[in-house]
Amino acid sequence: MEGANHSRVSEFVLLGLTDSPELQIFFFVMFSLFYLMSMLGNCLILLTVLFSPHLHSPMYFLLSNLSLIDMCLSSFATPKMIVDIFAQHKTISFEGCISQIFFLHLFTGTEIVLLISMSFDRYIAICKPLHYSSVMSQSMCVGLVVASWTVGFLHTMTQLAFTLYLPFCGPNVVDSFFCDLPLVIQLACIDTYILGIFMISTSGVIALISFVTCTAHFIVVSMFFGPCIFIYVNQEVKTAVKKKLSNQYLNIGKTTPMYSFKFMKRRRQG
């Protein structure tokens, strides 16, 4: 935080979502409800996993950690955004802005790696069910969670390592409702083009790795829900096409990982 002492800017002005009074009321109600539902839903998941002994398994352990991260990710900027909706002058201190950037990249980086860990858990459960208990041990699960937070921390520190020492000596208006890193570094008094590419690329690499790791899940979800949505939303589809899509929908449903895992369990029990 020593870099902040060399900055002439002590606060940033956030433009928020809209200046329309009608939309402000709408956004206030909508985001307040969404925030409350998100917090209550994730709290319910945490408490259910915590107090249900039969849910003390690797999958639900990772799921409860995901709920915790979701709660943190929802809370680092949303409450201030809701409070500032009706404010005429929306400001945030330099330290508060840096804190938002820190927590944003900490929680998103951690969640991405945790999603990869959950994908690994399902891979072991489906492809190596006989070794699942030995591979996904308690120490392995704790290690995956610790690794997720470690990667998230290292990621956010790489984003802040240069940002803290940038000279902010002029414009201080951020065209958003929170301090987003690409928008903030554009306000620096030096050329930040190369720095911006570096910061964006590091975030992109982490997101790309997560996407590649979870590609199978995305494909299954798309093939499972795509035909269903197309059939029931588009009423002008020909009957022959509906039959083919329905057949694909049913066949995909039979070959999903969950179905395969249940089939393996029945074979072992038999």
Side-chain angles (χ1 to χ4, degrees):
M1 299 300 291
E2 294 177 358
N5 297 329
H6 303 286
S7 173
R8 298 179 186 176
V9 173
S10 60
E11 66 179 16
F12 292 98
V13 177
L14 304 175
L15 295 185
L17 296 172
T18 180
D19 293 328
S20 170
E22 293 79 10
L23 288 177
Q24 286 177 347
I25 296 175
F26 171 75
F27 286 143
F28 178 81
V29 175
M30 181 180 68
F31 286 116
S32 296
L33 290 176
F34 283 168
Y35 178 69
L36 289 175
M37 287 190 297
S38 175
M39 297 301 290
L40 291 175
N42 284 298
C43 280
L44 181 61
I45 293 176
L46 281 172
L47 293 175
T48 302
V49 173
L50 182 63
F51 293 105
S52 300
H54 64 283
L55 296 182
H56 293 174
S57 63
M59 182 178 71
Y60 290 106
F61 174 75
L62 297 174
L63 178 63
S64 61
N65 279 272
L66 181 65
S67 296
L68 176 62
I69 297 175
D70 283 340
M71 292 174 63
C72 296
L73 193 57
S74 299
S75 302
F76 86 94
T78 305
K80 178 173 175 53
M81 178 202 68
I82 295 174
V83 172
D84 284 349
I85 285 180
F86 297 110
Q88 294 296 324
H89 193 58
K90 306 175 181 66
T91 61
I92 184 172
S93 66
F94 183 89
E95 292 77 10
C97 185
I98 294 299
S99 298
Q100 284 193 345
I101 295 174
F102 173 83
F103 288 119
L104 170 63
H105 288 274
L106 171 65
F107 297 141
T108 53
T110 302
E111 181 163 349
I112 287 174
V113 180
L114 187 61
L115 288 173
I116 296 176
S117 302
M118 296 176 72
S119 178
F120 173 74
D121 169 72
R122 292 299 87 198
Y123 166 78
I124 298 298
I126 295 169
C127 299
K128 299 182 179 181
L130 298 179
H131 301 281
Y132 181 76
S133 299
S134 59
V135 174
M136 296 304 298
S137 61
Q138 183 177 4
S139 58
M140 171 64 78
C141 294
V142 173
L144 290 173
V145 173
V146 172
S148 300
W149 283 99
T150 302
V151 172
F153 179 77
L154 294 176
H155 168 64
T156 194
M157 292 308 297
T158 60
Q159 303 296 299
L160 293 181
F162 302 101
T163 306
L164 284 173
Y165 295 95
L166 289 176
F168 295 96
C169 53
N172 67 335
V173 179
V174 180
D175 189 8
S176 182
F177 58 89
F178 74 101
C179 287
D180 196 8
L181 183 60
L183 298 178
V184 172
I185 64 175
Q186 290 177 3
L187 302 177
C189 301
I190 60 174
D191 184 9
T192 58
Y193 178 76
I194 301 298
L195 180 61
I197 292 178
F198 168 75
M199 292 180 173
I200 293 174
S201 63
T202 55
S203 299
V205 168
I206 294 179
L208 180 61
I209 294 174
S210 176
F211 179 80
V212 172
T213 306
C214 302
T215 298
H217 297 74
F218 294 140
I219 293 175
V220 170
V221 170
S222 300
M223 296 181 67
F224 189 79
F225 290 103
C228 180
I229 295 174
F230 186 77
I231 290 173
Y232 291 103
V233 172
N234 192 346
Q235 298 298 324
E236 298 180 359
V237 180
K238 295 181 179 179
T239 303
V241 177
K242 284 188 176 182
K243 289 181 180 179
K244 293 180 180 180
L245 291 175
S246 299
N247 181 55
Q248 177 184 347
Y249 176 78
L250 294 175
N251 286 330
I252 291 296
K254 292 180 180 179
T255 57
T256 55
M258 185 59 70
Y259 180 87
S260 301
F261 183 57
K262 290 180 179 178
F263 176 74
M264 291 178 183
K265 287 181 67 177
R266 286 199 298 267
R267 285 191 61 185
R268 283 190 295 165
Q269 293 173 354

